[in-house]
Amino acid sequence: MKNDFRLQDYLHDTKLIQSRLIVTSVIVLLLAGSLLWRLFELQIVQNERFNTLSQENRIRYLPLAPARGQIYDRNGIPLAQNLPVYAVEVQPERVDDIESLLNRVSQLVVLSSEEVERFRETLRTRPRFETRVLKSGLSDEEVARFAANQPLIEGAELSARLQRHYPLGQELVHVVGYVGRISENDLARIDTAAYRGTDYIGKLGIEGRYEDVLLGKVGYKKVETNAHGKIVRVLSSKKSVAGSDLHLSVDANLQRAAREYLGEFQGAVVAVEPSSGAILAFVSNPVYDPNPFVEGIGSRDYQTLRQDPRRPLLNRALNGRYAPGSTIKPIFAMAALEHGRSPVKTTFCPGYFKLPGSSRRYRCWKRQGHGYMNLYNAIVQSCDVYFYQLARTLGIEKLSDAMVRFGLGRQTGIDLTGEPSGLAPTPEWKREVRGKPWYPGETISVGIGQGYTLVTPLQMAMATATLANRGKRMQPKIVAYMRDASTNQPQYEKPKMLDRVDARSSDYFRLIIDAMTDVVHGRRGTARRSGRGATYRFAGKTGTAQVIGIAQGESYDEQAIAKRFRDHALFISFAPVEDPKIAVAVIAENGGGGSRTAAPIARKVMDFYLVGPPEEEKTSDAT
Amino acid sequence: MRLERAFPADVPLLLGLLTLGGFSLVLLYSASNQDLGLLYRQIARFLVALVVMVLVARISPDRLTRWTPFIYAFGLACLVLVLAVGIVGKGAQRWLDLGLVQFQPAEVMKLGVPLMVAWWLTRNTLPPGWYELGVVVVMVGVPSGLVIVQPDLGTALLIAASGVVVIFLAGLTWRWIVALGLCLAVSAPLLWTQLHEYQQRRIFTLFDPWSDPMGAGYHTIQSVIAVGSGGLAGKGWLNGSQSHLDFIPERGTDFIFAVFAEEFGFYGGIFIMALYVFLVGRGLYISFYAQDTFSRLVAGSLSLTFFLYVFVNIGMVSGVLPVVGVPLPLVSYGGTSMVTLMAGFGILMSIHSHKKLMPR
């Protein structure tokens, strides 16, 4: 198969390689011999020395897990705390008769058949000298009974550890979040040394975001053990350092009240202190109980939550993206003034608007029309046609720019993870994402907060706060201060200011705010019913966001439309007008009109915060 | 003869491997603190690896020669891919997730590199000249470099070694070998600065592990104590106090030999060393009597790198080599490397059995 030349080569090659193989064989034998020599030296010559070392090798370091920092609301109400939980642990090596042990333990504490079964399973799979949990979550009574009888039961012991608990349960789950067992994914990104002895890690919300602060520093105990690994004495120890406590600016009572006011509606209420950006309430409805997540929620329960059509797992205040509807109007009015529109210039509203050369009618919410409208009245009465006209004059770029300047359609920088940016649409965006050009009609829709525009309740609240601040934009923050466990000193962080929304004239803000004040206090204001009887003056703007498009010539019949297609009700407001203490954004999904559903909720939230809880609540609060 | 055709296993090799596999199970049972679940997984892996070995053994050396460039290219592509989309674990990016299984492309290269170098060198006359060597440097350097940046220095060195072994077998002249040795000595300080800090510390502590007993020296000290306290006959199966009181780190994987030496002593050491030398010897024998140059080079390289793994691991455990993450072949707990090793033995068996089938 090969020619002569190759054949000769082949013989030559073979000889060459074979000689090398002999060389390597010798090397292999020498190396193997040297390893054996090393083993001989260690195991025979120095055996005595190493035997002594191994006998003495009974010093072990045991980690001391730090206590996780606790979380409180602005009034010191605990939101996340560590509660001791007790468990019965068994070390099979020390037990002669497992059956009689189980029998005796079951006389002291309630043992379910699953617990016994799980324990038996560990007998087969885990080594005998390892301790394992027989029963966890003992009641106080069981703890007392077991503790009294423990000396009689060889091999079973009571163990205590701290478990995270959320006393208010579901109420603040979308703010505080929860911890859970450290997962494979967590392991890949954490420093395992810092988590020695710790089984939990913050997964969501404040617990997740402030994980590094809450965790604390691990300590250790240097102990001497006997040949079975049992601790004989403690040689030295270094205390663990507890994590810092977090004090939130959120008011748990306001939070609870706001969710109550939202009632059965899915939606969100975000309340913020305009001067500092401190979040006062951060409600997303519906909610769920975080406590089962700590020890790992059962997959069936988790599936139920996931598949719930009301989507309780969704944090609407942070992640919910909605069309802002008419609540966007004050911001566009502001932009129009900035770009030189005269406030006295009027637009005639016949009840609809048409682009030149198009037959499509953009309707005003008031079918018979508003007549002649100036900017002020257009805000107070929420005239759509005025803003259609305004949008057409300004153009999409300026509208989009105005939204972004007020922080709409971009991240607010709140101290929670996973914040979306929302969307302040531009023709570039549409070309890139949708691959289509921008149509003039789409600008018209954007003018009343519809179309592609998407904002989060948090963004709306912050934009409202910016209006209340007359242009000063603050970064929202949930944590007010931390308290370091070792120094016990509160550590404040200065509120962070963002780019200011500058106005050429301070009159512009005054005009807009006056108009928003008349929305609730004026005779023709769209939310005048919500303004009645207020002990303070507030400013607001209603909004109604369409969930489905209505065909031309068709009318919107609330009764006939399935509830999930009903319009979203929105309301933004701040109070008091002169010296704003609170700004609120409310979204009630499928709530119908903003003035009817959302405005009363916002009013009640502001009442609660500025005036105090309503009478009947005060009494129930005292308990 | 027909049976041999369907199941072309080399009986001495097979017996050696089975003994080693059985031994691994006995040892893992102890090292894992009698975790049966882990044992079952290891058995499953061993069986899978055996099947792979038999399948590989059915591939004739001729066909293997033709496949070699593709195997190499595939391995190279996977290495690039793993850097792009691999799974990060323990600070390194080594795994590709194939849904059902995760797989470590560096393992493919443990076979791919020696095959490719042998393939390349046998296309020309031996011993290799300047040009051939230059190409080999690239062939070995590129995959090794890709593995180094994962970063997995231990595996990269072994991959490079598997290529170097082929060059040596192919008759690299002694003058060259001396020159290369000198080059290495000169470039050592430069390489040193390229090492990660933890790697530098491991080498430091090799010379004086007691300088940092609770830090970098801990692994070595505890493992040497375990080996040394084993004595002549060992402390007995399941009775190693070093092993069972958690003093030995990674005792199921990289440091399993420490458990072994503590529980089975010097006698055990002689036994397992003999077993490994027997497997390597059989491999070299197959190489010696192989039928063509490609097979000869591949068989020799595979046998010698197998020995290298053993040497590096036991050297590391007994404190004469730095701690690099190299498992004890076929004994340590773990998946991908076992399959690669057995595939390597499959190639050896193929070289041996197909020779017999061909008329001389």
Side-chain angles (χ1 to χ4, degrees), chain A residues 9-10 12-14 16-18 20-21 24-25 28 38 40 42-44 47 50 54 57 59-61 127, chain B residues 33 125-126 168-172 214 222 224 227-228 231-232 235 242 245 247 261 266 287-288 291 296 318:
Chain A
D9 251 358
Y10 171 75
H12 165 257
D13 290 358
T14 305
L16 180 65
I17 298 172
Q18 284 180 341
R20 286 296 163 92
L21 282 170
T24 50
S25 301
V28 163
R38 172 70 178 170
F40 179 79
L42 291 178
Q43 299 190 298
I44 312 294
N47 173 246
F50 286 117
S54 110
N57 209 347
I59 314 291
R60 311 175 73 180
Y61 287 87
Chain B
N33 282 331
T125 50
L126 297 182
F168 178 77
L169 291 178
L172 187 68
M214 286 320 293
Q222 294 303 341
V224 167
V227 174
L232 192 63
K235 296 177 186 171
Q242 282 288 104
L245 291 181
F247 285 107
F266 188 57
S287 166
F288 200 89
Q291 206 152 32
R296 200 184 306 283
S318 56

Side-chain angles (χ1 to χ4, degrees), chain A residues 12 22 30 37 43 48 88 135 184 207 216 219 239 265 286 307-308 333 347 451 526 541 551 573 577 603:
Chain A
H12 165 257
I22 291 166
L30 283 177
W37 173 252
Q43 299 190 298
E48 213 165 315
V88 176
K135 158 97 186 175
E184 290 281 317
E207 290 270 33
K239 278 205 187 116
F265 288 116
Q307 286 160 6
D308 188 333
T347 299
T526 50
K541 181 71 197 80
S573 62
V577 171
R603 164 75 193 275

Side-chain angles (χ1 to χ4, degrees), chain B residues 24 28 37-39 41-42 45 252-254 256 327-328 331-335 337:
Chain B
S24 155
L28 269 178
L38 183 135
L39 215 57
R41 288 196 292 279
Q42 182 78 348
R45 285 198 183 115
T253 50
D254 291 359
I256 197 165
L328 187 62
V331 175
S332 288
Y333 178 74
S337 76

